[in-house]
Amino acid sequence: MIRIKAGVPRRPRPRPRARRPLRRALALGLPTVWGAIAITYKLSCPLAQQTGLGARIITSAVFFAVGTGLIVQVRRSLLRELRQIRQIAGAAQSALLRPLPPRLDGLNIAAAQLSAERGAVVGGDLYEVIATEHGVRVVMGDVRGHGIAAIGTVAAVLGSFREAAHDEPDLPGVLHRLDRALARHLRERARAEHPASGALDPESPVAEEFVTVLLLEIGRDGEIRALNCGHPWPYLLSGGGVRPVSRTDPLPPLGPFPLPTELPYVRCGQLLPGEALFLYTDGAEDARDGRGRFFPLAEVLAETAAQHPLPVPQSVLGSVFTALLRHTGGTPTDDVALMVLRNDRRPTVSAPIGARDGDISGSAARAHPAKTHPQPTTHL
C-alpha cells in the first residue's frame, strides 16, 4: 500500500520525452537510408554499370560517402550511449564512496582516490569519516584486487561501518561488525557464483578474499585510538617532521582468519592543534617506476612537511599525487587512496591538552620552554 504524506501534493508522473522515439528512429533510419541509396545507385544508375575509369572513380566515391556516413552515425550513437553509461556509473560510485566534508567536528579533512582501472571512479580502496558521540571515527581499507570487481566488497564494508560507527561504543565492537559483514558478503557471493554449494568452499577463489582495515578514533582531547588489521600505519605531520603514529605489529587482514575475542586497541598519542594525520593505502608505497623502484612516500612527505610546517590537507594531497604520477609515468598499477586530517580545534586553557607519548602536556609547556622537562619517547 502506498501512503502519501498529508499536505504534500502529488507530483504528476513525468511524460516520456518526445525526443527519445525520434532519436531511435534516426539511429535506425539513417543507416537504412544510406544503404538504400547505395543499393539503388548500384542497380539503377547507368553510370554504375559502366566499366570505364571515370565511372569506377565516381562509383567508388559514392560508396565511400555512404560508408563514411554509416561510420559517423554509428560512432555518434556509441558515444551517446557511452556518455549515459558513464554518468550512471559515476553517480552510483559517488554514492558508494561519498565525498567527505571539508570540516568535521574541528578537523580539516581532504581525501582522494585514484583507481587503477580506466574509467572507474571507485576501486578496491575505501575510506570514511564520521562524527559520533564517541569521537570522530575513521576507516581506511584496501580490498584484495582492484577496479570495478572489488566494488561489491567495498560496499559491504562501508555500509557496515556507517552503521556500526554510531551504534558501537568501542572500536573492537566496530571491527567485529565489519568482520561479520565481510563474512556474510563472501558467503552470499560464493552462493551466487556456485549455487550448488551451500557453504563457502575453501577451494573457491572467494575464500581467498581479504580486506585490510585501519580504524581510528579521535577523541575531543585529540587522543588517537586505533585498531589495525594488516593496513599501513598512518604518518603524523607535526612541526615540519614526519613519523609513523605507531610501530606495533598489526592484526591479520579481515577474511582469512577469525578475529580474536579480545581486541585491545592501540593508543597512538594525541593529535594536537595544527598537527595532521596522513592515511594511505599500500598502493602508494608499492607504486613503481619504469626501473622497478618503489615510490618514496616517506621522503615526499618529509619534503612537503619541511616546506609547510603547518600542513594544509589539500596541498599535501596535491604534492603527493603529483609526485606519485610523475614516479609512475601517470599509469599506476594499483588503486591509491590518500587522506589527511588536521586538528583545527582550539586548545583549552583550563584543561590543557594531554601530551603525546614523550611530550609534556598542554600549551603551558610551549609558553614556558625553560620549565619543560623532556621525557623519553615511547611508541606503543
Side-chain angles (χ1 to χ4, degrees):
M1 181 177 63
I2 301 176
R3 295 181 180 179
I4 302 175
K5 295 182 179 180
V8 180
R10 299 182 63 178
R11 295 182 179 180
R13 182 176 299 177
R15 297 180 179 179
R17 297 180 180 179
R19 294 181 178 180
R20 292 181 179 177
L22 180 59
R23 288 179 178 177
R24 292 178 182 176
L26 291 176
L28 296 176
L30 288 180
T32 304
V33 171
W34 283 110
I37 292 176
I39 294 174
T40 302
Y41 173 80
K42 182 63 178 177
L43 296 179
S44 60
C45 182
L47 186 61
Q49 309 299 327
Q50 298 179 9
T51 58
L53 179 61
R56 290 183 178 180
I57 293 176
I58 295 176
T59 302
S60 299
V62 171
F63 278 94
F64 177 79
V66 171
T68 303
L70 288 174
I71 293 173
V72 170
Q73 179 61 26
V74 171
R75 181 177 181 274
R76 288 180 178 177
S77 300
L78 293 177
L79 289 178
R80 188 183 306 113
E81 294 180 2
L82 181 60
R83 283 194 297 266
Q84 294 176 352
I85 293 173
R86 284 184 174 178
Q87 290 176 356
I88 296 173
Q93 295 178 67
S94 298
L96 172 62
L97 197 64
R98 300 176 300 195
L100 298 180
R103 296 185 62 84
L104 185 66
D105 196 16
L107 299 180
N108 193 335
I109 305 172
Q113 182 180 14
L114 181 63
S115 178
E117 188 164 340
R118 186 176 181 181
V121 179
V122 178
D125 295 343
L126 58 98
Y127 55 77
E128 183 64 284
V129 182
I130 299 178
T132 70
E133 59 181 350
H134 315 291
V136 176
R137 288 180 168 175
V138 184
V139 64
M140 176 162 278
D142 187 0
V143 178
R144 178 179 179 270
H146 60 268
I148 298 178
I151 289 181
T153 308
V154 171
V157 176
L158 276 182
S160 177
F161 173 78
R162 286 164 181 163
E163 292 185 2
H166 293 283
D167 297 341
E168 299 295 333
D170 52 14
L171 280 184
V174 177
L175 187 59
H176 278 294
R177 290 273 293 269
L178 298 187
D179 185 51
R180 291 194 296 267
L182 176 62
R184 183 169 54 251
H185 166 73
L186 294 180
R187 287 195 303 269
E188 294 174 353
R189 179 177 163 187
R191 190 178 300 114
E193 295 180 0
H194 305 281
S197 177
L200 184 59
D201 185 5
E203 302 297 331
S204 172
V206 179
E208 300 178 358
E209 294 291 332
F210 64 86
V211 182
T212 66
V213 172
L214 173 67
L215 287 179
L216 295 181
E217 184 178 275
I218 305 174
R220 288 298 306 171
D221 58 352
E223 182 183 2
I224 305 172
R225 294 172 288 273
L227 279 174
N228 191 346
C229 293
H231 201 82
W233 285 106
Y235 286 99
L236 177 69
L237 310 182
S238 174
V242 177
R243 69 172 179 84
V245 298
S246 177
R247 301 185 185 276
T248 306
D249 292 334
L251 298 169
L254 298 183
F257 308 101
L259 284 176
T261 305
E262 299 295 331
L263 290 172
Y265 55 79
V266 179
R267 296 182 181 272
C268 301
Q270 285 187 303
L271 184 66
L272 301 180
E275 297 179 341
L277 287 176
F278 180 86
L279 289 76
Y280 62 99
T281 56
D282 59 2
E285 286 186 327
D286 295 342
R288 303 193 185 194
D289 60 4
R291 299 180 181 178
R293 296 175 298 183
F294 291 101
F295 176 64
L297 178 61
E299 297 178 7
V300 173
L301 281 177
E303 295 176 0
T304 304
Q307 297 174 0
H308 306 282
L310 181 62
V312 179
Q314 293 78 9
S315 300
V316 174
L317 281 188
S319 300
V320 174
F321 265 121
T322 300
L324 178 65
L325 293 177
R326 186 185 303 115
H327 182 81
T328 59
T331 56
T333 58
D334 196 3
D335 300 326
V336 178
L338 306 178
M339 182 192 300
V340 183
L341 301 98
R342 188 183 68 190
N343 188 355
D344 286 349
R345 298 166 179 168
R346 295 182 179 180
T348 58
V349 179
S350 58
I353 299 176
R356 181 184 305 108
D357 298 339
D359 259 341
I360 54 176
S361 64
S363 57
R366 291 181 171 81
H368 305 283
K371 299 181 181 180
T372 61
H373 301 283
Q375 301 176 1
T377 302
T378 58
H379 300 285
L380 300 180

